[in-house]
Amino acid sequence: MSLRPAPAHPAAPVGAARSPRARARPVRRTRARRRGRGPYETFVDVDDEDDLLELNTAGDISGETFDTLVELLRRGVNLNSASREELFTLPNLTYKQVDGIIRYRQEAGFIYDPAALVLAGVLDRDQLEAIAAFIYIVEPNRRYSATSGKVRLRTAWSPPDRRLPAMVLDGQVQTLRHLRLGVAGVLTRSRVDDVRYDPNRDALSAEQPRPRGYLPKVYVQWEDDNYNVLLGTYRIGFGQRLTFDNTRNYTPNGIYRDNTIYPRPVRLTRLCKESAGELPDSPCDGEIGDTYVTPDFRWQETLQGIAAGIKKLKLGSGWMQAYAWTSVQARSIYQYKLYDPDKCDDPRSDDPRCDAPAIYKRQPDPFAPTSEFGYQTLPRMFREVTSGGNVSYFFNRRSWVGATGYGTAIKWLTGGKDYDFQEWARTRSAARSGPSASTARGATAGATSASR
C-alpha cells in the first residue's frame, strides 16, 4: 500500500493496490508476524475475499470470523463517520487505537488521507495497510448529484460438473450524498424447491434441484450523521449482544445494510444427495454417488423489512439514540432442524418418531414410489415476523445505558401441517405456530465499563 494521499474520488476506497510481488505472499504467514488484536484470532492482512478464504482454509481464522470479515469487506467502514463500535470491528485494532482515531478525527476535523494516522502516531504502517481494504473516505465537498458504484459477477465451476456454473451478480450504488442502493442475485443448482406437506405419506415433498435464480439481497438506505433509514435486507444489533443481535459484530450498535453473498467453500460437494426412500435402490448408487462438484454460493437470511433510527440526539451532557425495526421474511431451514410435534412429545428423547421428517422427491404421479432427499436446506418453510426497538443514552463514548425489546411470531408455510424446531436449532421464536409463537423479550439494560 502506498501512503501517499488517496485519490480524490467521491467515495474512494483507501490505499493503492500492492505490487504483484507483495500481493503474492501467502497471507497466512501474517500469524507468525504478529498476534491478532481485537475480536479476531490473528493479525488479518488481506486485500480481498480470496485472501480471507485462504486464511480460513489454513485454519488461521474460524468460519464465523471469515463470514464476519467478508461482510465487513463488502460493507466497508467510513473512516470519518464510523462510531467507536464500528471502528472496533476493523481487524487488529484495540480500543486505545480506536479512541485515538476518533480523537484525531475530532482535532483535525476530517481525515483526508489515512496516512496522517501513521504520522500522528495513532497507528503504525502495518496496521494501516491491514485495514486499508476495509475502510473508505467520502469527500466532504462531494457534489450532491455525484454517483459512484460497482457491479461484480462471480462464477465457479469444476470439471466433473456438467451443469450451469454457480453465479452471483451483485452491485452497489451511492448517490445524493447519503443514498445507497444494493442488490445481489444468485443462480443455484443444488437447492430443492417448493417444499410442501404430502398427506399421502404424512411427510414433506419437494421439487428436485435444478438451476434456479434467487434475489436474496436488496436494499435502499439513507444514512447521514444523525439518521439511518433502510428498506430491504439488513442486520441490526445492540447492547453487547445480550438481547438482540444478528450482526456478528463484537460490539453492535445500530443498523447495517446486508448485501453479502459469501464466497463458495473450497471443498467440493456430493452431486447426488438422495437415498432409496420407497425405491428398491438409491438413485445415488454407482458412479454418480462418487461424483463431487462445485457447491453453490451461499448467503444468510438476516432481516428483511424496514428499520429506522436516530443515531445521535444531544441531551444534557450526553446524547440519546433510538431505533425501531420490523422484518417480514419467508425463511429457510436445514431439514434436520425440524421435527413433527404430532408424532413426538419430547424432541430431546431418542424416540425415532422425533427424528426430522422425511423429504420425498415429488413426482408427476403423487402415488408413484420415490426417493428421499438428504442434507438439504428447505426454502420458504415459515414466515417470520419480528419487530423491536432500542433506546440508549450515552454519557460518553465508553459508557451508556440502554433498553432493547423485540417480539417474534412465525407461521408455517408447508401447506396443511405445522412442524416444530429441534431443541438445538437456533431461532428467535418460541418454535410454536400460531399466536403462541410470539415471544416478547423483556427490555434489558446494561452499562459498559469505563475501562473500555
Side-chain angles (χ1 to χ4, degrees):
M1 169 183 167
S2 172
L3 294 182
R4 62 180 180 272
H9 189 280
V14 174
R18 303 178 190 181
S19 67
R21 182 177 180 181
R23 181 66 182 80
R25 73 180 189 278
V27 177
R28 59 177 174 268
R29 290 173 56 188
T30 57
R31 166 175 283 190
R33 183 158 57 93
R34 183 180 296 186
R35 188 175 58 185
R37 295 181 180 181
Y40 309 119
E41 302 94 323
T42 189
F43 190 89
V44 177
D45 184 7
V46 300
D47 289 331
D48 51 33
E49 295 173 8
D50 289 337
D51 289 346
L52 288 173
L53 191 60
E54 184 178 349
L55 280 175
N56 179 234
T57 304
D60 287 345
I61 60 174
S62 66
E64 182 175 359
T65 296
F66 170 76
D67 289 349
T68 300
L69 292 175
V70 167
E71 293 164 12
L72 187 63
L73 198 61
R74 294 289 292 148
R75 187 172 64 239
V77 174
N78 188 330
L79 193 58
N80 282 287
S81 65
S83 66
R84 187 172 188 256
E85 292 77 21
E86 288 178 295
L87 289 171
F88 189 65
T89 63
L90 293 170
N92 318 316
L93 299 187
T94 64
Y95 273 117
K96 180 179 179 180
Q97 291 160 338
V98 167
D99 288 337
I101 293 173
I102 295 175
R103 190 161 47 248
Y104 179 85
R105 194 169 66 186
Q106 292 172 338
E107 294 172 355
F110 192 89
I111 302 175
Y112 291 90
D113 182 1
L117 296 172
V118 176
L119 298 176
V122 178
L123 303 177
D124 64 35
R125 185 188 180 102
D126 284 350
Q127 289 168 334
L128 180 59
E129 288 186 350
I131 67 172
F134 297 90
I135 60 178
Y136 65 93
I137 290 175
V138 179
E139 298 293 338
N141 57 349
R142 174 176 176 151
R143 290 182 294 109
Y144 196 75
S145 59
T147 301
S148 61
K150 56 185 176 182
V151 177
R152 178 174 61 165
L153 175 65
R154 288 176 283 167
T155 186
W157 179 80
S158 58
D161 199 343
R162 299 178 181 178
R163 304 170 299 173
L164 285 173
M167 296 183 191
V168 175
L169 179 64
D170 57 56
Q172 299 184 74
V173 174
Q174 182 177 4
T175 187
L176 303 179
R177 291 184 185 169
H178 306 296
L179 181 65
R180 287 181 177 269
L181 304 94
V183 65
V186 182
L187 177 69
T188 68
R189 299 88 39 80
S190 302
R191 288 169 65 97
V192 299
D193 199 60
D194 191 22
V195 183
R196 299 198 303 262
Y197 175 65
D198 184 346
N200 298 318
R201 297 177 172 87
D202 191 24
L204 293 168
S205 67
E207 292 184 358
Q208 65 180 349
R210 60 179 176 81
R212 291 183 175 92
Y214 294 90
L215 191 67
K217 304 293 180 182
V218 59
Y219 71 85
V220 178
Q221 182 186 32
W222 179 275
E223 183 179 16
D224 58 22
D225 292 341
N226 297 312
Y227 303 98
N228 191 351
V229 180
L230 189 149
L231 178 66
T233 50
Y234 62 93
R235 296 177 179 269
I236 196 166
F238 308 95
Q240 297 286 288
R241 313 181 73 174
L242 296 177
T243 304
F244 191 94
D245 172 58
N246 72 338
T247 66
R248 300 184 190 271
N249 290 358
Y250 185 72
T251 53
N253 187 50
I255 305 165
Y256 306 88
R257 59 188 177 272
D258 180 21
N259 194 44
T260 303
I261 306 296
Y262 301 105
R264 66 169 185 83
V266 174
R267 298 180 181 87
L268 301 181
T269 186
R270 192 183 294 271
L271 175 62
C272 185
K273 298 179 180 179
E274 298 178 38
S275 61
E278 301 168 338
L279 302 175
D281 299 304
S282 168
C284 296
D285 288 346
E287 183 179 348
I288 190 172
D290 296 324
T291 300
Y292 288 80
V293 295
T294 307
D296 292 332
F297 291 90
R298 60 186 178 89
W299 66 91
Q300 184 180 10
E301 293 171 347
T302 50
L303 295 173
Q304 181 176 286
I306 186 168
I310 301 173
K311 297 165 62 175
K312 193 170 185 178
L313 179 65
K314 287 291 293 182
L315 190 63
S317 59
W319 66 91
M320 187 186 78
Q321 71 173 28
Y323 288 87
W325 71 91
T326 294
S327 171
V328 181
Q329 186 174 31
R331 297 185 68 88
S332 306
I333 191 168
Y334 190 50
Q335 70 178 86
Y336 300 112
K337 292 183 177 181
L338 298 176
Y339 79 94
D340 187 343
D342 293 338
K343 300 177 181 179
C344 172
D345 295 327
D346 183 2
R348 294 168 295 183
S349 72
D350 295 329
D351 190 334
R353 293 177 299 177
C354 295
D355 292 344
I359 315 294
Y360 288 96
K361 182 177 180 179
R362 190 173 302 139
Q363 303 288 353
D365 180 359
F367 298 101
T370 187
S371 58
E372 285 186 36
F373 289 116
Y375 308 101
Q376 292 287 345
T377 296
L378 310 178
R380 299 182 294 277
M381 287 293 289
F382 60 95
R383 180 181 296 112
E384 180 184 76
V385 180
T386 301
S387 297
N390 165 268
V391 177
S392 299
Y393 182 80
F394 288 75
F395 303 98
N396 52 54
R397 290 197 309 267
R398 298 186 177 188
S399 303
W400 76 88
V401 60
T404 304
Y406 77 95
T408 296
I410 67 168
K411 179 178 175 59
W412 289 97
L413 304 177
T414 48
K417 189 178 183 66
D418 292 345
Y419 287 87
D420 211 333
F421 304 108
Q422 296 282 356
E423 189 178 64
W424 53 270
R426 297 194 302 173
T427 64
R428 283 188 289 273
S429 67
R432 291 187 293 273
S433 60
S436 62
S438 178
T439 62
R441 307 291 183 181
T444 64
T448 61
S449 168
S451 63
R452 272 186 41 195

